[in-house]
Amino acid sequence: MTFNQSSLFGQIDDLQDLAIIERPIRRSLKTAEEIEKLTVDEDLNDIERAVFLLSSGQDVQRASVVVNLPNLVRQNPAETFRRVVPKVREVLHVAGVEMQLAAAGSFLTILQDDIILIQTHTHSILQIVLLNLDHRDAVVSNAWLETLLSAIDALPKETIRQEILNPLVSKAQLSQSVQARLASCRILGKVASKFECQMVKKDLLPLVRSLCQDVEYEVRSCMCRQLENIARGIGVDHTKAVVLPELVELARDEGSTVRLAAFDTIVNLLEMFDSDDRTRVIFPLVKAFCEKCFKADEAVLASLSFQYGRLCHGLSGSFTEDQHLWFLEFYKKLCILGLHLENGHCESQAYPLELERKYELVRKNCAYNFPAMVLFADPKCFLSELYPTFSSLCNDPEISVRRTAAAGFHEVAKLLGPNVHYIHKELVTLLQDDSLEVLDALMNSLQETLELATLRGDGAGADSKVSVPDLIPALAAAEQKAAASLRWRVHERLLQRYACLPRVISGDQIYFRFLQRMFTIITTNNVLPVQREAARTLCVFLRYNRKLEQRQEIIGKVVDQLAQGKSYWNRLRYLDLCEIAMELFSKSYFCKHFLAPALELVNDPVANVRYKLCCMLPRLKSTIRLPSEKPLLQQLEFCVRRLLCREKDKDVVSTIRKTVLDLDKMDITEPYHKRHERDLLDQKKEKEENLLLEMEQLERQQSEGKLTIDKHADKKRRDSKTGLSVAKNMSGSTSGAALSTSAGKEKKAKLARSRSLSSHPTTSKMVNSDKPPKGKESSSGPGTTKGTLVPINDDTLRSHHFSTASTSMSSTPSTSMPVLIRSNTTNTLDHRSNGTKDTQSRKLTIQRKSNSFGMQSGRE
């Protein structure tokens, strides 16, 4: 047998196997008799068809009728309730779970949509609902109970009184089943808010008391949780007299679930108790409950720890100092439950798995309540009272605890305010956490967290920032960790949050630590959303960079590595970056730096790049402003003509033809108000860009002026020291000047006169008609020349800074940034003027001494 024959026989065997597989499928098809049973006469109307299907149809057909029941009631309510609803009631006696649930949903829709207009119709539906409350299946019974509870909100009071409350009295008796009594508890809690206080007190409270003292702990627990609704229904006065004693008794119940229900209800009703009740009744009760749970009832500790923040916040106004301290210390114990300290670190102890999970949940709830406990303990006492606890939560061995602490980190930072530097170390720890879940939780409010963490105290300026130790390495390591994982959505969110870094750290730190990383992600990452988010973050970094050289280098890298990159994937990313740049930058900035390289991609050898460029042409044209940018418009039109004439790819050809039509309709179809809004937004962006340029120039001038002033100050100090030494030498020479010649006296007098005149140009008041000519100033000594030139340069620099500041203020809108420029410049000028005045006063003192010496020598 040849190879071909064997392969042929193998294929035949496979076909036979397929035939065997198909046989059960053919047998599963409906027979003619079954199809006959499913067929319904087309002449029947909707009501008759529903009655026929409910009587002799199959389960699927009956279920369809039950689901469609609200539509039948809308179309013909009288006939539906006369003929269809009784049939539905008969079917529900033997129906399965699915049909029961469908019927519960249909009747709820009928009761809530105000379809029923006659009271008898409501009575018939409520009878069906109440009848099925006692269904043997717990799922079905709960479904009908939820239907009834939801319908109570839509029913009138009289209907509730007659149809629900009257049967409720019998269902709440001890002779009824536990399921019926549990349903009675929930119904009592629901109807309490529908009636007046007197009616609730008279008719409902006796039932409430009896259910609170039921022999089954499940009933007592369920009724205890409904006491909150009962209390809000009867008011504050009756709550203190009726509900509070019941809560106290239930809080001491032997069942842990009953005690827990009482504790939750007390926490929810704290605002309804006065200060005296909180101090005398609530505090001892809650304290005993906490101590009992901590010692012997770990199951209740989870709910206790979850409600602990609300409890402390609600009782804080009534606590004494000792009570306040007790609750704070108990919270600290809960935060380290199941851990032990070793070498300053918290490590988990060896417990059974179930108990370990309970302790983990307790610590997680404590981390959730930590912001409330900071408020309870007073943020001023954070370092001494709660910092070790917060540090242990951030370093907890369980991921869920650290994740919860990271999710609330921004709330803690907000509460600490100027003392936020206390938790800088914990912020870096969470950023460097090994689990991406912790990092993901920190991402939700990372921008707010970083801004709060780097903000100085209230006395500092609005834009003054404080550096967080190891923050930049931690941010870079977090990004590297997210990039190395398979969870690209976390990486994308992280890059999105990094767009806030210009508001947190300096431009140089961003330039040297993050910019190159953004380029690497754009060019090498394999996930498109991550690449686009990195491109957006890169554009934000470029937008707020305040150094011209760095901006030019970034744009050069973008054009070189993306627009002119060897990979078509990078060139596509450049077009994505252009879309982002059109949103962030003004039209003029985009046209100046990004438009020309984008239009050059019309010659790209890859059709995908040309296709994307065709789709972007209308948006690119909208950035061109005439007549100043007419060459760019001509270049764009040349691209269109080139694509129309030489393009061979069919997708690109069809796209460019549609694009040409869109380009022609751009100025016609767009409403004026949208175009006007876009122009206003573009003007705002352009003003902000110009303002950044002015701020950059001003900072550069201030730095240069600062260097110049420092140099002149050093020279002045050296000149003043030289003048003092000369004056001392001259005063020493005057003591022995009796034997000097008349020529020496004249020489000293000229020297003193020239020095006294050289100080006059320093102030405007000293300029007079006795000012010597320039030739005489230039002929004076080198030390004198330096002293006269420094004040003139300082005044010139000062006037230049004032003119720059005034120009920037006049040419920019009234935003906060010009105010910052003006204040910084004024402070600098005041500092310079103060320094100049001090120098001038020292020089005048020296000159007075030299003048007095000259007068003495003249007299001699």
Side-chain angles (χ1 to χ4, degrees), residues 540-557:
V540 173
F541 290 167
L542 175 62
R543 172 72 172 78
Y544 293 102
N545 190 288
R546 293 165 66 172
K547 290 189 176 181
L548 180 61
E549 297 82 1
Q550 293 181 0
R551 289 197 301 271
Q552 290 175 347
E553 186 176 350
I554 295 170
I555 294 172
K557 280 187 177 181

Side-chain angles (χ1 to χ4, degrees), residues 479-480 483 491 513-522:
E479 190 276 324
Q480 294 278 358
H491 193 197
R513 295 302 299 267
F514 295 99
L515 261 171
Q516 184 55 43
R517 181 59 186 166
M518 296 301 116
F519 277 108
T520 304
I521 295 172
I522 295 172

Side-chain angles (χ1 to χ4, degrees), residues 698-706 801 824-825 828 832:
L698 186 61
E699 289 176 355
R700 187 177 298 175
Q701 291 171 1
Q702 287 179 350
S703 61
E704 292 175 356
K706 210 170 193 182
H801 280 295
N824 293 335
T825 309
T828 306
R832 293 177 188 168

